Amino acid sequence: MNLLINDTPDYIVVGGKKIPVKTDFKLWAAFLIACTEGNAGKIKESIEKIVDQVPDDSHAFSLACMEWMFPDKVKNGEKQNNKNIMNQQPFDFAADGNVIYCELWQYFPNLMERGISFHEGMELIKLLLHNENTLMWHIAFARCGDFSKLDKDKRDYWQKQRAIYRIKNKTVTQEDR
């Protein structure tokens, strides 16, 4: 999807049926965080904020949500290979939410003031990840960067940064379900 020439889609297709959705970045980020945590109650709550009528087929709906959020990553129900260095995740909405929010406001205040869709937000995050002056770039490089060609001092520095910024996997407890 090219946001310069295409509007953000305001619906998802589930079982051949178009379902209108709210496109607000914050709503979809909350949905992703809930999915990451595996908390069924929070997932249901976030879905109810995105759509007025939740479809009966939750698996098809979840797949449609992933296709809507990441159209270039999910094709025909299968995730495409991610060519990211070391297959590491460069950012996490739960762990990096405050940094993402602050840097979006710092670098794109006019857009944030008017409100952004999920797809716009993801494009802006990509810009932050490619700007060496941002904390998001620093965090992403610490998590995913290739340190093999750096001299020893820099490699040691980035290894320490990797340990600091690693994404801690949340263990889902029985209470969360």
Side-chain angles (χ1 to χ4, degrees), residues 7-12 18-23 50 68 119:
D7 288 332
T8 300
D10 59 356
Y11 64 89
I12 58 175
K18 287 184 179 180
I19 299 174
V21 294
K22 296 174 184 103
T23 62
I50 292 169
W68 183 88
H119 294 100

Side-chain angles (χ1 to χ4, degrees), residues 21-160:
V21 294
K22 296 174 184 103
T23 62
D24 189 307
F25 181 76
K26 292 179 280 193
L27 295 176
W28 287 93
F31 170 73
L32 282 174
I33 291 170
C35 289
T36 302
E37 292 175 349
N39 185 320
K42 285 184 182 179
I43 293 171
K44 185 176 185 285
E45 191 177 296
S46 64
I47 290 172
E48 289 171 350
K49 291 177 182 176
I50 292 169
V51 296
D52 293 327
Q53 182 67 35
V54 180
D56 294 332
D57 186 351
S58 61
H59 177 71
F61 180 74
S62 297
L63 183 58
C65 286
M66 293 307 289
E67 289 174 357
W68 183 88
M69 287 186 291
F70 306 109
D72 56 335
K73 301 276 188 239
V74 180
K75 301 269 190 226
N76 300 323
E78 293 183 24
K79 283 189 174 184
Q80 300 298 308
N81 287 338
N82 186 354
K83 303 272 190 235
N84 200 357
I85 296 172
M86 297 173 52
N87 290 325
Q88 293 292 320
Q89 186 176 336
F91 69 93
D92 177 81
F93 281 111
D96 305 322
N98 291 338
V99 174
I100 293 169
Y101 182 77
C102 290
E103 289 201 330
L104 286 173
W105 271 101
Q106 179 181 352
Y107 290 94
F108 311 105
N110 294 339
L111 295 174
M112 292 296 288
E113 193 170 295
R114 78 155 164 82
I116 58 174
S117 69
F118 178 78
H119 294 100
E120 291 169 323
M122 292 305 293
E123 292 301 316
L124 296 176
I125 289 172
K126 286 178 190 175
L127 291 173
L128 293 174
L129 290 171
H130 287 90
N131 180 346
E132 292 184 22
N133 297 319
T134 66
L135 182 54
M136 282 305 304
W137 178 89
H138 184 92
I139 291 170
F141 187 75
R143 289 179 181 150
C144 305
D146 180 8
F147 309 152
S148 65
K149 295 180 179 147
L150 300 176
D151 64 45
K152 184 181 178 351
D153 290 339
K154 286 183 180 178
R155 191 170 43 249
D156 290 346
Y157 169 79
W158 283 108
Q159 291 290 1
K160 289 176 186 173

